[in-house]
Amino acid sequence: MISQKSAHAVAKQGVKTQIVSRQRVVRCHAIAATERPPTVKAQGPIIMNGQVLHSISQERLELVQTLGPHLESQVLPLLRDPTKSWQPSDFLPESSDPDFLDKVHELRKRTTVLPDDYLVVFVGDMITEEALPTYMAMLNTLDGVRDETGAAPTPWGRWTREWTAEENRHGDLMNKYMYLTGRVNMHAIEVTIQNLIGSGMDPKTENNPYLGFVYTSFQERATKISHGNTARHALEYGDEVLAKICGSIASDEGRHEQAYQRIMDAVYEKDPNGATLAFADMIKKQIVMPAHLMDDGEHHGKTGRNLFAVSSLVVFLCFPFTAAATTSVLMA
């Protein structure tokens, strides 16, 4: 027989067992978390390989984060609807046309008058445009404005991707046109483009959006001037199609210049001291061209000279910057 005390103990143990048993049954219900904007914190400054990185202060990083509405209203509207934008095929012979080869023959005849030094300048511009993956990567190094997911719906993410999409047409069109002319060594050019993308670029912007957007403001104006020059000279040499190509690209660069100027205008308005210091810092460092690491793998070994330096010299000799043009870049 079980005593009353033992029965009570057994009953108590049974209650515990039941409780434990019930605790093993877990029912999970998915609850949507409330989406909150990410808190961006300054990461630096730090020094890596002798360079300062992540140099923006927390206060200025937070200021940059407030510029989203400004991008929405003043910057993103400068972008064009792809269905209404010009596309490379608009300037090239239609490959499906029965008279395609005749049109290519006309193009080749038309471009025979282009001097070699003009082609050097044009190809230098083309190689610079073709290194577009590097420039998108550069924008995504900037703290507070990078596209964190690759498809972020933020104004900054949208600007970076859609700016890149517009710029992508430039190198595409220039490359195809040069290929059809038969005037240049496309294999050597392609090697140079691959080398340049592989080498990257070092604008010394320190992951700092203040410095980064000073840099892009300069570069967009410089490329606008350069493509404008090649357009003008192409027209003088009698290639109206090439003039329209370069002019259309220059027009895009002009819109993009406006966009970066509007970003910097907003920074100047909210933080004039910080914006001025950023401008002074980039001028002191000297603005490097995006293609400053250009290399075809042969030129330096054969001549001992830097390919980018030689290309830049040809540009200067063909299209020397006047004092007014230089001032216009500095006052961008």
Side-chain angles (χ1 to χ4, degrees), residues 91 106-114 118-119 177-178 181 230-246:
F91 299 91
E106 291 174 7
L107 184 155
R108 290 193 167 206
K109 184 178 180 180
R110 187 173 66 239
T111 57
T112 56
V113 300
L114 298 175
Y118 177 90
L119 293 176
Y177 197 84
M178 277 295 100
T181 67
T230 53
R232 178 166 49 84
H233 283 263
L235 190 60
E236 291 175 359
Y237 295 132
D239 192 340
E240 293 185 7
V241 175
L242 185 56
K244 289 179 181 177
I245 288 172
C246 297

Side-chain angles (χ1 to χ4, degrees), residues 5-30:
K5 185 176 181 181
S6 298
H8 179 70
V10 170
K12 188 176 181 181
Q13 184 177 1
V15 171
K16 288 182 177 180
T17 302
Q18 290 176 6
I19 293 173
V20 171
S21 178
R22 283 198 298 270
Q23 287 176 338
R24 289 174 182 167
V25 179
V26 180
R27 289 184 173 85
C28 298
H29 300 280

Side-chain angles (χ1 to χ4, degrees), residues 182-203:
R183 293 287 310 278
V184 297
N185 183 341
M186 289 303 299
H187 180 82
I189 290 171
E190 290 157 356
V191 169
T192 305
I193 292 169
Q194 186 170 349
N195 281 337
L196 179 57
I197 296 173
S199 297
M201 64 182 292
D202 182 13

Side-chain angles (χ1 to χ4, degrees), residues 201-269:
M201 64 182 292
D202 182 13
K204 295 181 172 57
T205 49
E206 303 176 7
N207 309 99
N208 186 327
Y210 277 45
L211 302 181
F213 292 130
V214 168
Y215 178 83
T216 53
S217 297
F218 271 85
Q219 282 307 315
E220 294 290 4
R221 173 160 291 202
T223 52
K224 179 186 73 173
I225 292 173
S226 182
H227 289 299
N229 282 335
T230 53
R232 178 166 49 84
H233 283 263
L235 190 60
E236 291 175 359
Y237 295 132
D239 192 340
E240 293 185 7
V241 175
L242 185 56
K244 289 179 181 177
I245 288 172
C246 297
S248 297
I249 294 173
S251 178
D252 278 357
E253 304 294 6
R255 283 189 296 106
H256 298 162
E257 176 197 5
Q258 277 187 288
Y260 288 117
Q261 284 180 337
R262 290 181 183 184
I263 292 172
M264 284 309 300
D265 284 346
V267 175
Y268 266 105
E269 183 178 346

Side-chain angles (χ1 to χ4, degrees), residues 140 146-154 157 161:
N140 279 326
R146 65 176 60 89
D147 183 353
E148 295 287 359
T149 69
T154 63
R161 295 192 305 274

Side-chain angles (χ1 to χ4, degrees), residues 143-163:
D143 293 333
V145 302
R146 65 176 60 89
D147 183 353
E148 295 287 359
T149 69
T154 63
W156 293 110
R158 288 174 55 201
W159 165 257
T160 297
R161 295 192 305 274
E162 294 178 37
W163 169 84

